[in-house]
């Protein structure tokens, strides 16, 4: 039985892009907590400062999350 809910898309690609996005998001959120404190994660995620300064670990993790999000969207035809 074929359970592919997204005809034309490979289920492993969907699963792998989702896993990559979850991991990248978790790493960025952990760094937000480290830099700004766990009580300010939501606040800082919504602000430019939450992206980090150029060359910082926070910026690197934010950029990785953005790439993972773009791949997640592309795999679902949302780009």
């Amino acid at each position: 039985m074929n359970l592919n809910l997204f005809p034309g898309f490979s289920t492993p690609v969907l699963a792998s892009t989702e896993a990559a996005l979850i991991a990248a998001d978790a790493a960025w959120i952990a760094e937000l907590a480290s830099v700004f404190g766990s009580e300010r994660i939501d606040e800082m995620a919504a602000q430019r400062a939450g992206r980090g300064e150029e060359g910082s670990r926070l910026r690197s993790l934010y950029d990785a999350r953005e790439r993972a999000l773009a791949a997640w969207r592309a795999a679902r035809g949302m780009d």
Side-chain angles (χ1 to χ4, degrees):
M1 176 161 74
N2 183 358
L3 295 178
N4 188 351
L5 301 176
F6 301 95
F9 294 100
S10 169
T11 300
V13 170
L14 295 178
S16 67
T17 58
E18 182 165 352
L21 177 55
I22 290 168
D25 191 56
W28 176 58
I29 289 171
E31 189 66 7
L32 280 172
S34 175
V35 172
F36 298 108
S38 59
E39 67 284 346
R40 296 186 67 201
I41 292 170
D42 291 338
E43 172 193 354
M44 297 313 295
Q47 295 184 26
R48 185 176 284 289
R51 298 176 187 173
E53 296 293 324
E54 196 67 42
S56 70
R57 177 169 167 74
L58 184 59
R59 173 60 68 91
S60 175
L61 292 169
Y62 173 80
D63 290 344
R65 182 193 179 274
E66 289 298 299
R67 287 189 302 275
L69 179 57
W72 182 91
R73 287 180 174 156
R76 288 154 180 80
M78 300 169 66
D79 50 355

